[in-house]
C-alpha cells in the first residue's frame, strides 16, 4: 500500500516523499487586508546627480538585462522584469521594494547570511543562468546600479521581511495532485500564444518580448521559479499577462508542473552527480531528478 502511494506521488511528479496533505502548505506572501501596498516614488522624484543617474541605469538594466549579454551575464534570454513584473513594482510579483528592506537575511539556499548584493548575484546565477557560473562582481557597476534602483523603489518602506505583497501571493492547496496532461492542456489554451508551443518564447527583432519557459534560454534548475509551488503562485496571481487570477488554483498548479517538467540549463550546484544534487538541493516541489513525463529520462540528466 505504501509503495503504491509513493509511486502515485512519483507519477504525479511530486515525490521526494512528503504526504500529499503536507505538500501544499505554501507560506509565500500575504495580501494587504485593505488592498493597499507600498507606493513607489513618482519617476519625477528621482534625485539629481550621480544617485539619480545610478537609479536610472538600474532601471534600464532591470527592464533590459540583455545589455549585459556581452559580458556573459545573463547567459539566457531573460530580463529581471520577466519575473519581477512592472519593472519590479507590482505587488505579488516579488517587487524590489519588498526585497530590499528584507536583507541582510539568512538563506538556506546557500547556507549563509546574504546581503542584498548577494541576493542580486544569486538572481544572475540561477534565474539568469550567468555564463560559467559567474554573476556580476559584488562591487560591479551593474550590482551597484540595481541596488540603487531597488533602494529608491523602497523609499519609505519599513525594514521588514513581511511587507504585504513582497513575494508571490500564497496559493491554495489544489483539489487534486497537479497533473502533467492537464497542465499541457492549460498551457496550450492559455500560455502558448505568448510563450510558444514548445516554451521557446516569442521574439521581435531578435529580442524576446515573451520569455522562454524552458530550454537553454530559460531559467536554470537552481532558480526559484523551477519550484512547482513558487511558479504556481506566480502564475495564479499574474498570468496570463494582464489576466492574473483568471486561472483556477488547480490550473495554476497543473501548468506549473507542466512547465517545470522540461529540461533547462543545469543547476550551477551540480558537481557531476545527479542523485547527490537532487538529495542536497531539490525537495518536494522540484521535478529535478525525477522521470520526465515526456520520455522517462531523469530530469537534469540532459540539462543544457
Amino acid at each position: 500500500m505504501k509503495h503504491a502511494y509513493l509511486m502515485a506521488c512519483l507519477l504525479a511528479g511530486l515525490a521526494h516523499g512528503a504526504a500529499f496533505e503536507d505538500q501544499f502548505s505554501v507560506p509565500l506572501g500575504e495580501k494587504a487586508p485593505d488592498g493597499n501596498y507600498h507606493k513607489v516614488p513618482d519617476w519625477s522624484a528621482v534625485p539629481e546627480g550621480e544617485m539619480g543617474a545610478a537609479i536610472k541605469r538600474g532601471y534600464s538594466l532591470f527592464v533590459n538585462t540583455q545589455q549585459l549579454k556581452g559580458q556573459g551575464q545573463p547567459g539566457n534570454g531573460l530580463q529581471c522584469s520577466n519575473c519581477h513584473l512592472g519593472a519590479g513594482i507590482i505587488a505579488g510579483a516579488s517587487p524590489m521594494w519588498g526585497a530590499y528592506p528584507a536583507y541582510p537575511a539568512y538563506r538556506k539556499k546557500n547556507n549563509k547570511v546574504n546581503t542584498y548584493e548577494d541576493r542580486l548575484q544569486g538572481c544572475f546565477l540561477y534565474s539568469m543562468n550567468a555564463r560559467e557560473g559567474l554573476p556580476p562582481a559584488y562591487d560591479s557597476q551593474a550590482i551597484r546600479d540595481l541596488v540603487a534602483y531597488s533602494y529608491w523603489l523602497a523609499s519609505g518602506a519599513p525594514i521588514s521581511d513581511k511587507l504585504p505583497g513582497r513575494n508571490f501571493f500564497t496559493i491554495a492547496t489544489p483539489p487534486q495532485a497537479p497533473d502533467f496532461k492537464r497542465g499541457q492542456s492549460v498551457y496550450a489554451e492559455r500560455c502558448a500564444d505568448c510563450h510558444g508551443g514548445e516554451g521557446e518564447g516569442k521574439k521581435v527583432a531578435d529580442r524576446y518580448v515573451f520569455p522562454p519557459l524552458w530550454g537553454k534560454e530559460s531559467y536554470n534548475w537552481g532558480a526559484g521559479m523551477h519550484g512547482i509551488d513558487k511558479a504556481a503562485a506566480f502564475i495564479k496571481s499574474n498570468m496570463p499577462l494582464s489576466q492574473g487570477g483568471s486561472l483556477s488554483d488547480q490550473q495554476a498548479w497543473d501548468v506549473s508542473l507542466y512547465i517545470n517538467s522540461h529540461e533547462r540549463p543545469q543547476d550551477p550546484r551540480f558537481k557531476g552527480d545527479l542523485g547527490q544534487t537532487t538529495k542536497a538541493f531539490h525537495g518536494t516541489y522540484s521535478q529535478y531528478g525525477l522521470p520526465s513525463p515526456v520520455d522517462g529520462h531523469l530530469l537534469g540528466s540532459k540539462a543544457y
Side-chain angles (χ1 to χ4, degrees):
M1 182 69 177
K2 182 178 180 181
H3 176 72
Y5 172 75
L6 290 175
M7 283 303 295
C9 287
L10 180 63
L11 292 174
L14 297 166
H16 294 313
F20 175 81
E21 59 268 24
D22 296 329
Q23 287 179 347
F24 303 108
S25 298
V26 189
L28 293 169
E30 298 302 328
K31 296 184 178 181
D34 58 2
N36 293 318
Y37 299 95
H38 171 72
K39 299 293 191 297
V40 302
D42 187 83
W43 193 247
S44 64
V46 173
E48 299 291 333
E50 181 53 34
M51 184 61 183
I55 291 168
K56 292 175 182 177
R57 289 194 302 266
Y59 166 79
S60 176
L61 283 173
F62 202 87
V63 299
N64 180 21
T65 323
Q66 292 298 306
Q67 64 189 278
L68 296 175
K69 194 86 168 184
Q71 302 173 37
Q73 305 105 3
N76 57 20
L78 304 186
Q79 322 285 359
C80 297
S81 56
N82 289 148
C83 294
H84 308 273
L85 301 179
I89 293 173
I90 295 177
S94 206
M96 309 319 287
W97 52 257
Y100 183 84
Y103 288 87
Y106 171 80
R107 297 189 76 214
K108 186 178 179 181
K109 187 165 188 170
N110 58 10
N111 195 34
K112 67 178 182 179
V113 172
N114 286 226
T115 64
Y116 191 67
E117 289 84 351
D118 291 324
R119 186 66 182 87
L120 290 173
Q121 284 188 311
C123 282
F124 275 98
L125 183 61
Y126 296 106
S127 295
M128 312 299 287
N129 195 39
R131 293 180 186 173
E132 300 179 3
L134 297 174
Y138 195 90
D139 61 349
S140 65
Q141 191 67 59
I143 294 295
R144 290 176 184 272
D145 291 343
L146 288 168
V147 169
Y149 177 59
S150 301
Y151 167 82
W152 181 72
L153 290 180
S155 297
I159 296 174
S160 173
D161 64 353
K162 295 180 173 60
L163 288 179
R166 72 164 290 259
N167 210 317
F168 304 148
F169 292 135
T170 298
I171 186 171
T173 299
Q176 301 174 313
D179 179 80
F180 182 86
K181 288 293 186 182
R182 288 198 308 264
Q184 186 175 33
S185 296
V186 174
Y187 184 86
E189 294 170 8
R190 304 297 301 275
C191 312
D193 282 350
C194 291
H195 295 287
E198 298 300 323
E200 72 276 16
K202 291 290 180 71
K203 282 185 173 182
V204 172
D206 203 37
R207 176 178 172 177
Y208 285 106
V209 291
F210 293 103
L213 300 183
W214 63 84
K216 66 180 181 178
E217 291 297 318
S218 190
Y219 53 87
N220 67 39
W221 278 116
M225 197 67 83
H226 100 278
I228 299 166
D229 57 332
K230 292 180 177 64
F234 173 81
I235 291 165
K236 171 66 178 179
S237 293
N238 300 293
M239 293 292 131
L241 193 64
S242 81
Q243 299 175 43
S246 64
L247 297 180
S248 69
D249 293 334
Q250 185 69 63
Q251 287 175 313
W253 282 100
D254 289 343
V255 77
S256 175
L257 174 68
Y258 175 73
I259 289 167
N260 285 306
S261 294
H262 293 83
E263 285 290 10
R264 55 189 63 260
Q266 184 59 267
D267 188 331
R269 299 165 295 189
F270 176 75
K271 303 300 182 185
D273 187 323
L274 185 70
Q276 185 178 52
T277 307
T278 302
K279 182 178 180 180
F281 303 112
H282 296 269
T284 299
Y285 299 112
S286 177
Q287 291 292 88
Y288 187 87
L290 292 179
S292 163
V294 178
D295 61 11
H297 84 275
L298 295 182
L299 289 166
S301 65
K302 296 182 180 180
Y304 295 93

mmCIF file with all atom_site columns, all heavy atoms in Angstrom, residues 39-49 51-53 55-56 148-149 151-153 155-156:
data_model
loop_
_atom_site.group_PDB
_atom_site.id
_atom_site.type_symbol
_atom_site.label_atom_id
_atom_site.label_alt_id
_atom_site.label_comp_id
_atom_site.label_asym_id
_atom_site.label_entity_id
_atom_site.label_seq_id
_atom_site.pdbx_PDB_ins_code
_atom_site.Cartn_x
_atom_site.Cartn_y
_atom_site.Cartn_z
_atom_site.occupancy
_atom_site.B_iso_or_equiv
_atom_site.pdbx_formal_charge
_atom_site.auth_seq_id
_atom_site.auth_comp_id
_atom_site.auth_asym_id
_atom_site.auth_atom_id
_atom_site.pdbx_PDB_model_num
ATOM 1   N N   . LYS A 1 39  ? 3.735  52.278 -1.835  1.00 0.00 ? 39  LYS A N   1
ATOM 2   C CA  . LYS A 1 39  ? 3.695  53.128 -3.024  1.00 0.00 ? 39  LYS A CA  1
ATOM 3   C C   . LYS A 1 39  ? 5.111  53.570 -3.371  1.00 0.00 ? 39  LYS A C   1
ATOM 4   O O   . LYS A 1 39  ? 5.809  54.167 -2.537  1.00 0.00 ? 39  LYS A O   1
ATOM 5   C CB  . LYS A 1 39  ? 2.822  54.358 -2.783  1.00 0.00 ? 39  LYS A CB  1
ATOM 6   C CG  . LYS A 1 39  ? 1.358  54.054 -2.455  1.00 0.00 ? 39  LYS A CG  1
ATOM 7   C CD  . LYS A 1 39  ? 0.650  53.433 -3.651  1.00 0.00 ? 39  LYS A CD  1
ATOM 8   C CE  . LYS A 1 39  ? -0.864 53.362 -3.429  1.00 0.00 ? 39  LYS A CE  1
ATOM 9   N NZ  . LYS A 1 39  ? -1.221 52.486 -2.282  1.00 0.00 ? 39  LYS A NZ  1
ATOM 10  N N   . VAL A 1 40  ? 5.521  53.268 -4.578  1.00 0.00 ? 40  VAL A N   1
ATOM 11  C CA  . VAL A 1 40  ? 6.862  53.675 -5.002  1.00 0.00 ? 40  VAL A CA  1
ATOM 12  C C   . VAL A 1 40  ? 6.844  55.161 -5.359  1.00 0.00 ? 40  VAL A C   1
ATOM 13  O O   . VAL A 1 40  ? 5.788  55.724 -5.680  1.00 0.00 ? 40  VAL A O   1
ATOM 14  C CB  . VAL A 1 40  ? 7.345  52.839 -6.212  1.00 0.00 ? 40  VAL A CB  1
ATOM 15  C CG1 . VAL A 1 40  ? 7.347  51.355 -5.873  1.00 0.00 ? 40  VAL A CG1 1
ATOM 16  C CG2 . VAL A 1 40  ? 6.497  53.109 -7.441  1.00 0.00 ? 40  VAL A CG2 1
ATOM 17  N N   . PRO A 1 41  ? 7.998  55.816 -5.296  1.00 0.00 ? 41  PRO A N   1
ATOM 18  C CA  . PRO A 1 41  ? 8.043  57.247 -5.638  1.00 0.00 ? 41  PRO A CA  1
ATOM 19  C C   . PRO A 1 41  ? 7.671  57.474 -7.098  1.00 0.00 ? 41  PRO A C   1
ATOM 20  O O   . PRO A 1 41  ? 7.826  56.600 -7.956  1.00 0.00 ? 41  PRO A O   1
ATOM 21  C CB  . PRO A 1 41  ? 9.504  57.631 -5.389  1.00 0.00 ? 41  PRO A CB  1
ATOM 22  C CG  . PRO A 1 41  ? 10.073 56.528 -4.555  1.00 0.00 ? 41  PRO A CG  1
ATOM 23  C CD  . PRO A 1 41  ? 9.308  55.294 -4.904  1.00 0.00 ? 41  PRO A CD  1
ATOM 24  N N   . ASP A 1 42  ? 7.187  58.674 -7.362  1.00 0.00 ? 42  ASP A N   1
ATOM 25  C CA  . ASP A 1 42  ? 6.931  59.063 -8.742  1.00 0.00 ? 42  ASP A CA  1
ATOM 26  C C   . ASP A 1 42  ? 8.262  59.233 -9.468  1.00 0.00 ? 42  ASP A C   1
ATOM 27  O O   . ASP A 1 42  ? 9.262  59.662 -8.870  1.00 0.00 ? 42  ASP A O   1
ATOM 28  C CB  . ASP A 1 42  ? 6.140  60.373 -8.782  1.00 0.00 ? 42  ASP A CB  1
ATOM 29  C CG  . ASP A 1 42  ? 5.705  60.723 -10.195 1.00 0.00 ? 42  ASP A CG  1
ATOM 30  O OD1 . ASP A 1 42  ? 4.677  60.201 -10.636 1.00 0.00 ? 42  ASP A OD1 1
ATOM 31  O OD2 . ASP A 1 42  ? 6.410  61.524 -10.861 1.00 0.00 ? 42  ASP A OD2 1
ATOM 32  N N   . TRP A 1 43  ? 8.267  58.890 -10.745 1.00 0.00 ? 43  TRP A N   1
ATOM 33  C CA  . TRP A 1 43  ? 9.520  58.969 -11.508 1.00 0.00 ? 43  TRP A CA  1
ATOM 34  C C   . TRP A 1 43  ? 10.101 60.376 -11.507 1.00 0.00 ? 43  TRP A C   1
ATOM 35  O O   . TRP A 1 43  ? 11.317 60.574 -11.587 1.00 0.00 ? 43  TRP A O   1
ATOM 36  C CB  . TRP A 1 43  ? 9.269  58.497 -12.939 1.00 0.00 ? 43  TRP A CB  1
ATOM 37  C CG  . TRP A 1 43  ? 10.525 58.236 -13.710 1.00 0.00 ? 43  TRP A CG  1
ATOM 38  C CD1 . TRP A 1 43  ? 10.990 58.932 -14.777 1.00 0.00 ? 43  TRP A CD1 1
ATOM 39  C CD2 . TRP A 1 43  ? 11.497 57.196 -13.480 1.00 0.00 ? 43  TRP A CD2 1
ATOM 40  N NE1 . TRP A 1 43  ? 12.175 58.410 -15.235 1.00 0.00 ? 43  TRP A NE1 1
ATOM 41  C CE2 . TRP A 1 43  ? 12.511 57.331 -14.449 1.00 0.00 ? 43  TRP A CE2 1
ATOM 42  C CE3 . TRP A 1 43  ? 11.596 56.172 -12.545 1.00 0.00 ? 43  TRP A CE3 1
ATOM 43  C CZ2 . TRP A 1 43  ? 13.619 56.496 -14.513 1.00 0.00 ? 43  TRP A CZ2 1
ATOM 44  C CZ3 . TRP A 1 43  ? 12.692 55.332 -12.608 1.00 0.00 ? 43  TRP A CZ3 1
ATOM 45  C CH2 . TRP A 1 43  ? 13.693 55.493 -13.580 1.00 0.00 ? 43  TRP A CH2 1
ATOM 46  N N   . SER A 1 44  ? 9.237  61.367 -11.361 1.00 0.00 ? 44  SER A N   1
ATOM 47  C CA  . SER A 1 44  ? 9.715  62.755 -11.331 1.00 0.00 ? 44  SER A CA  1
ATOM 48  C C   . SER A 1 44  ? 10.511 63.062 -10.067 1.00 0.00 ? 44  SER A C   1
ATOM 49  O O   . SER A 1 44  ? 11.187 64.090 -9.990  1.00 0.00 ? 44  SER A O   1
ATOM 50  C CB  . SER A 1 44  ? 8.533  63.723 -11.425 1.00 0.00 ? 44  SER A CB  1
ATOM 51  O OG  . SER A 1 44  ? 7.683  63.597 -10.292 1.00 0.00 ? 44  SER A OG  1
ATOM 52  N N   . ALA A 1 45  ? 10.435 62.145 -9.072  1.00 0.00 ? 45  ALA A N   1
ATOM 53  C CA  . ALA A 1 45  ? 11.135 62.359 -7.805  1.00 0.00 ? 45  ALA A CA  1
ATOM 54  C C   . ALA A 1 45  ? 12.544 61.789 -7.797  1.00 0.00 ? 45  ALA A C   1
ATOM 55  O O   . ALA A 1 45  ? 13.233 61.853 -6.775  1.00 0.00 ? 45  ALA A O   1
ATOM 56  C CB  . ALA A 1 45  ? 10.329 61.744 -6.659  1.00 0.00 ? 45  ALA A CB  1
ATOM 57  N N   . VAL A 1 46  ? 13.000 61.215 -8.900  1.00 0.00 ? 46  VAL A N   1
ATOM 58  C CA  . VAL A 1 46  ? 14.378 60.730 -8.974  1.00 0.00 ? 46  VAL A CA  1
ATOM 59  C C   . VAL A 1 46  ? 15.324 61.895 -8.713  1.00 0.00 ? 46  VAL A C   1
ATOM 60  O O   . VAL A 1 46  ? 15.191 62.956 -9.346  1.00 0.00 ? 46  VAL A O   1
ATOM 61  C CB  . VAL A 1 46  ? 14.677 60.098 -10.353 1.00 0.00 ? 46  VAL A CB  1
ATOM 62  C CG1 . VAL A 1 46  ? 16.151 59.752 -10.481 1.00 0.00 ? 46  VAL A CG1 1
ATOM 63  C CG2 . VAL A 1 46  ? 13.839 58.858 -10.556 1.00 0.00 ? 46  VAL A CG2 1
ATOM 64  N N   . PRO A 1 47  ? 16.247 61.748 -7.788  1.00 0.00 ? 47  PRO A N   1
ATOM 65  C CA  . PRO A 1 47  ? 17.124 62.881 -7.449  1.00 0.00 ? 47  PRO A CA  1
ATOM 66  C C   . PRO A 1 47  ? 18.073 63.243 -8.588  1.00 0.00 ? 47  PRO A C   1
ATOM 67  O O   . PRO A 1 47  ? 18.302 62.456 -9.507  1.00 0.00 ? 47  PRO A O   1
ATOM 68  C CB  . PRO A 1 47  ? 17.902 62.360 -6.237  1.00 0.00 ? 47  PRO A CB  1
ATOM 69  C CG  . PRO A 1 47  ? 17.873 60.873 -6.362  1.00 0.00 ? 47  PRO A CG  1
ATOM 70  C CD  . PRO A 1 47  ? 16.551 60.549 -6.978  1.00 0.00 ? 47  PRO A CD  1
ATOM 71  N N   . GLU A 1 48  ? 18.627 64.425 -8.487  1.00 0.00 ? 48  GLU A N   1
ATOM 72  C CA  . GLU A 1 48  ? 19.636 64.868 -9.442  1.00 0.00 ? 48  GLU A CA  1
ATOM 73  C C   . GLU A 1 48  ? 20.981 64.218 -9.105  1.00 0.00 ? 48  GLU A C   1
ATOM 74  O O   . GLU A 1 48  ? 21.154 63.586 -8.062  1.00 0.00 ? 48  GLU A O   1
ATOM 75  C CB  . GLU A 1 48  ? 19.773 66.390 -9.388  1.00 0.00 ? 48  GLU A CB  1
ATOM 76  C CG  . GLU A 1 48  ? 18.513 67.155 -9.744  1.00 0.00 ? 48  GLU A CG  1
ATOM 77  C CD  . GLU A 1 48  ? 18.143 67.018 -11.212 1.00 0.00 ? 48  GLU A CD  1
ATOM 78  O OE1 . GLU A 1 48  ? 19.053 66.786 -12.035 1.00 0.00 ? 48  GLU A OE1 1
ATOM 79  O OE2 . GLU A 1 48  ? 16.953 67.134 -11.526 1.00 0.00 ? 48  GLU A OE2 1
ATOM 80  N N   . GLY A 1 49  ? 21.945 64.387 -9.965  1.00 0.00 ? 49  GLY A N   1
ATOM 81  C CA  . GLY A 1 49  ? 23.300 63.960 -9.686  1.00 0.00 ? 49  GLY A CA  1
ATOM 82  C C   . GLY A 1 49  ? 23.537 62.476 -9.907  1.00 0.00 ? 49  GLY A C   1
ATOM 83  O O   . GLY A 1 49  ? 22.761 61.782 -10.571 1.00 0.00 ? 49  GLY A O   1
ATOM 84  N N   . MET A 1 51  ? 23.412 59.871 -7.898  1.00 0.00 ? 51  MET A N   1
ATOM 85  C CA  . MET A 1 51  ? 22.437 58.917 -7.378  1.00 0.00 ? 51  MET A CA  1
ATOM 86  C C   . MET A 1 51  ? 21.285 58.735 -8.367  1.00 0.00 ? 51  MET A C   1
ATOM 87  O O   . MET A 1 51  ? 20.865 57.612 -8.650  1.00 0.00 ? 51  MET A O   1
ATOM 88  C CB  . MET A 1 51  ? 21.906 59.374 -6.021  1.00 0.00 ? 51  MET A CB  1
ATOM 89  C CG  . MET A 1 51  ? 20.957 58.372 -5.373  1.00 0.00 ? 51  MET A CG  1
ATOM 90  S SD  . MET A 1 51  ? 21.775 56.786 -5.049  1.00 0.00 ? 51  MET A SD  1
ATOM 91  C CE  . MET A 1 51  ? 20.411 55.838 -4.388  1.00 0.00 ? 51  MET A CE  1
ATOM 92  N N   . GLY A 1 52  ? 20.806 59.829 -8.902  1.00 0.00 ? 52  GLY A N   1
ATOM 93  C CA  . GLY A 1 52  ? 19.738 59.739 -9.891  1.00 0.00 ? 52  GLY A CA  1
ATOM 94  C C   . GLY A 1 52  ? 20.181 58.994 -11.138 1.00 0.00 ? 52  GLY A C   1
ATOM 95  O O   . GLY A 1 52  ? 19.425 58.191 -11.698 1.00 0.00 ? 52  GLY A O   1
ATOM 96  N N   . ALA A 1 53  ? 21.426 59.241 -11.550 1.00 0.00 ? 53  ALA A N   1
ATOM 97  C CA  . ALA A 1 53  ? 21.956 58.540 -12.722 1.00 0.00 ? 53  ALA A CA  1
ATOM 98  C C   . ALA A 1 53  ? 22.037 57.039 -12.463 1.00 0.00 ? 53  ALA A C   1
ATOM 99  O O   . ALA A 1 53  ? 21.731 56.224 -13.337 1.00 0.00 ? 53  ALA A O   1
ATOM 100 C CB  . ALA A 1 53  ? 23.331 59.094 -13.086 1.00 0.00 ? 53  ALA A CB  1
ATOM 101 N N   . ILE A 1 55  ? 20.161 55.287 -10.333 1.00 0.00 ? 55  ILE A N   1
ATOM 102 C CA  . ILE A 1 55  ? 18.784 54.767 -10.306 1.00 0.00 ? 55  ILE A CA  1
ATOM 103 C C   . ILE A 1 55  ? 18.295 54.523 -11.724 1.00 0.00 ? 55  ILE A C   1
ATOM 104 O O   . ILE A 1 55  ? 17.702 53.478 -12.033 1.00 0.00 ? 55  ILE A O   1
ATOM 105 C CB  . ILE A 1 55  ? 17.863 55.753 -9.565  1.00 0.00 ? 55  ILE A CB  1
ATOM 106 C CG1 . ILE A 1 55  ? 18.197 55.781 -8.076  1.00 0.00 ? 55  ILE A CG1 1
ATOM 107 C CG2 . ILE A 1 55  ? 16.385 55.378 -9.779  1.00 0.00 ? 55  ILE A CG2 1
ATOM 108 C CD1 . ILE A 1 55  ? 17.546 56.923 -7.319  1.00 0.00 ? 55  ILE A CD1 1
ATOM 109 N N   . LYS A 1 56  ? 18.549 55.459 -12.599 1.00 0.00 ? 56  LYS A N   1
ATOM 110 C CA  . LYS A 1 56  ? 18.100 55.323 -13.985 1.00 0.00 ? 56  LYS A CA  1
ATOM 111 C C   . LYS A 1 56  ? 18.835 54.186 -14.700 1.00 0.00 ? 56  LYS A C   1
ATOM 112 O O   . LYS A 1 56  ? 18.229 53.430 -15.476 1.00 0.00 ? 56  LYS A O   1
ATOM 113 C CB  . LYS A 1 56  ? 18.292 56.642 -14.729 1.00 0.00 ? 56  LYS A CB  1
ATOM 114 C CG  . LYS A 1 56  ? 17.367 57.739 -14.231 1.00 0.00 ? 56  LYS A CG  1
ATOM 115 C CD  . LYS A 1 56  ? 17.662 59.079 -14.902 1.00 0.00 ? 56  LYS A CD  1
ATOM 116 C CE  . LYS A 1 56  ? 16.765 60.179 -14.356 1.00 0.00 ? 56  LYS A CE  1
ATOM 117 N NZ  . LYS A 1 56  ? 17.080 61.507 -14.954 1.00 0.00 ? 56  LYS A NZ  1
ATOM 118 N N   . ALA A 1 148 ? 20.844 50.597 -6.195  1.00 0.00 ? 148 ALA A N   1
ATOM 119 C CA  . ALA A 1 148 ? 20.334 51.971 -6.139  1.00 0.00 ? 148 ALA A CA  1
ATOM 120 C C   . ALA A 1 148 ? 18.877 52.033 -6.585  1.00 0.00 ? 148 ALA A C   1
ATOM 121 O O   . ALA A 1 148 ? 18.042 52.711 -5.945  1.00 0.00 ? 148 ALA A O   1
ATOM 122 C CB  . ALA A 1 148 ? 21.198 52.885 -7.012  1.00 0.00 ? 148 ALA A CB  1
ATOM 123 N N   . TYR A 1 149 ? 18.550 51.347 -7.654  1.00 0.00 ? 149 TYR A N   1
ATOM 124 C CA  . TYR A 1 149 ? 17.165 51.339 -8.145  1.00 0.00 ? 149 TYR A CA  1
ATOM 125 C C   . TYR A 1 149 ? 16.227 50.700 -7.121  1.00 0.00 ? 149 TYR A C   1
ATOM 126 O O   . TYR A 1 149 ? 15.137 51.229 -6.838  1.00 0.00 ? 149 TYR A O   1
ATOM 127 C CB  . TYR A 1 149 ? 17.108 50.588 -9.479  1.00 0.00 ? 149 TYR A CB  1
ATOM 128 C CG  . TYR A 1 149 ? 15.711 50.449 -10.040 1.00 0.00 ? 149 TYR A CG  1
ATOM 129 C CD1 . TYR A 1 149 ? 14.940 51.574 -10.324 1.00 0.00 ? 149 TYR A CD1 1
ATOM 130 C CD2 . TYR A 1 149 ? 15.175 49.183 -10.300 1.00 0.00 ? 149 TYR A CD2 1
ATOM 131 C CE1 . TYR A 1 149 ? 13.655 51.441 -10.841 1.00 0.00 ? 149 TYR A CE1 1
ATOM 132 C CE2 . TYR A 1 149 ? 13.899 49.055 -10.822 1.00 0.00 ? 149 TYR A CE2 1
ATOM 133 C CZ  . TYR A 1 149 ? 13.141 50.175 -11.090 1.00 0.00 ? 149 TYR A CZ  1
ATOM 134 O OH  . TYR A 1 149 ? 11.857 50.051 -11.599 1.00 0.00 ? 149 TYR A OH  1
ATOM 135 N N   . TYR A 1 151 ? 16.687 50.406 -3.862  1.00 0.00 ? 151 TYR A N   1
ATOM 136 C CA  . TYR A 1 151 ? 16.624 51.310 -2.701  1.00 0.00 ? 151 TYR A CA  1
ATOM 137 C C   . TYR A 1 151 ? 15.615 52.421 -2.949  1.00 0.00 ? 151 TYR A C   1
ATOM 138 O O   . TYR A 1 151 ? 14.799 52.760 -2.077  1.00 0.00 ? 151 TYR A O   1
ATOM 139 C CB  . TYR A 1 151 ? 18.016 51.886 -2.437  1.00 0.00 ? 151 TYR A CB  1
ATOM 140 C CG  . TYR A 1 151 ? 18.045 53.047 -1.479  1.00 0.00 ? 151 TYR A CG  1
ATOM 141 C CD1 . TYR A 1 151 ? 18.029 52.848 -0.097  1.00 0.00 ? 151 TYR A CD1 1
ATOM 142 C CD2 . TYR A 1 151 ? 18.106 54.358 -1.964  1.00 0.00 ? 151 TYR A CD2 1
ATOM 143 C CE1 . TYR A 1 151 ? 18.053 53.926 0.782   1.00 0.00 ? 151 TYR A CE1 1
ATOM 144 C CE2 . TYR A 1 151 ? 18.129 55.440 -1.097  1.00 0.00 ? 151 TYR A CE2 1
ATOM 145 C CZ  . TYR A 1 151 ? 18.101 55.218 0.270   1.00 0.00 ? 151 TYR A CZ  1
ATOM 146 O OH  . TYR A 1 151 ? 18.119 56.294 1.140   1.00 0.00 ? 151 TYR A OH  1
ATOM 147 N N   . TRP A 1 152 ? 15.663 52.984 -4.147  1.00 0.00 ? 152 TRP A N   1
ATOM 148 C CA  . TRP A 1 152 ? 14.751 54.078 -4.467  1.00 0.00 ? 152 TRP A CA  1
ATOM 149 C C   . TRP A 1 152 ? 13.302 53.598 -4.492  1.00 0.00 ? 152 TRP A C   1
ATOM 150 O O   . TRP A 1 152 ? 12.404 54.277 -3.947  1.00 0.00 ? 152 TRP A O   1
ATOM 151 C CB  . TRP A 1 152 ? 15.141 54.685 -5.811  1.00 0.00 ? 152 TRP A CB  1
ATOM 152 C CG  . TRP A 1 152 ? 14.274 55.835 -6.225  1.00 0.00 ? 152 TRP A CG  1
ATOM 153 C CD1 . TRP A 1 152 ? 14.255 57.088 -5.688  1.00 0.00 ? 152 TRP A CD1 1
ATOM 154 C CD2 . TRP A 1 152 ? 13.300 55.824 -7.281  1.00 0.00 ? 152 TRP A CD2 1
ATOM 155 N NE1 . TRP A 1 152 ? 13.326 57.858 -6.343  1.00 0.00 ? 152 TRP A NE1 1
ATOM 156 C CE2 . TRP A 1 152 ? 12.730 57.124 -7.312  1.00 0.00 ? 152 TRP A CE2 1
ATOM 157 C CE3 . TRP A 1 152 ? 12.868 54.865 -8.192  1.00 0.00 ? 152 TRP A CE3 1
ATOM 158 C CZ2 . TRP A 1 152 ? 11.739 57.474 -8.232  1.00 0.00 ? 152 TRP A CZ2 1
ATOM 159 C CZ3 . TRP A 1 152 ? 11.877 55.206 -9.109  1.00 0.00 ? 152 TRP A CZ3 1
ATOM 160 C CH2 . TRP A 1 152 ? 11.325 56.500 -9.125  1.00 0.00 ? 152 TRP A CH2 1
ATOM 161 N N   . LEU A 1 153 ? 13.043 52.426 -5.070  1.00 0.00 ? 153 LEU A N   1
ATOM 162 C CA  . LEU A 1 153 ? 11.682 51.886 -5.077  1.00 0.00 ? 153 LEU A CA  1
ATOM 163 C C   . LEU A 1 153 ? 11.167 51.664 -3.660  1.00 0.00 ? 153 LEU A C   1
ATOM 164 O O   . LEU A 1 153 ? 9.968  51.789 -3.391  1.00 0.00 ? 153 LEU A O   1
ATOM 165 C CB  . LEU A 1 153 ? 11.632 50.565 -5.850  1.00 0.00 ? 153 LEU A CB  1
ATOM 166 C CG  . LEU A 1 153 ? 11.824 50.623 -7.363  1.00 0.00 ? 153 LEU A CG  1
ATOM 167 C CD1 . LEU A 1 153 ? 11.748 49.215 -7.952  1.00 0.00 ? 153 LEU A CD1 1
ATOM 168 C CD2 . LEU A 1 153 ? 10.785 51.525 -8.030  1.00 0.00 ? 153 LEU A CD2 1
ATOM 169 N N   . SER A 1 155 ? 11.759 53.445 -1.053  1.00 0.00 ? 155 SER A N   1
ATOM 170 C CA  . SER A 1 155 ? 11.769 54.680 -0.257  1.00 0.00 ? 155 SER A CA  1
ATOM 171 C C   . SER A 1 155 ? 10.545 54.751 0.654   1.00 0.00 ? 155 SER A C   1
ATOM 172 O O   . SER A 1 155 ? 9.403  54.658 0.185   1.00 0.00 ? 155 SER A O   1
ATOM 173 C CB  . SER A 1 155 ? 11.781 55.910 -1.168  1.00 0.00 ? 155 SER A CB  1
ATOM 174 O OG  . SER A 1 155 ? 12.948 55.958 -1.944  1.00 0.00 ? 155 SER A OG  1
ATOM 175 N N   . GLY A 1 156 ? 10.783 54.871 1.955   1.00 0.00 ? 156 GLY A N   1
ATOM 176 C CA  . GLY A 1 156 ? 9.693  54.976 2.912   1.00 0.00 ? 156 GLY A CA  1
ATOM 177 C C   . GLY A 1 156 ? 9.179  53.659 3.455   1.00 0.00 ? 156 GLY A C   1
ATOM 178 O O   . GLY A 1 156 ? 8.381  53.646 4.396   1.00 0.00 ? 156 GLY A O   1
#
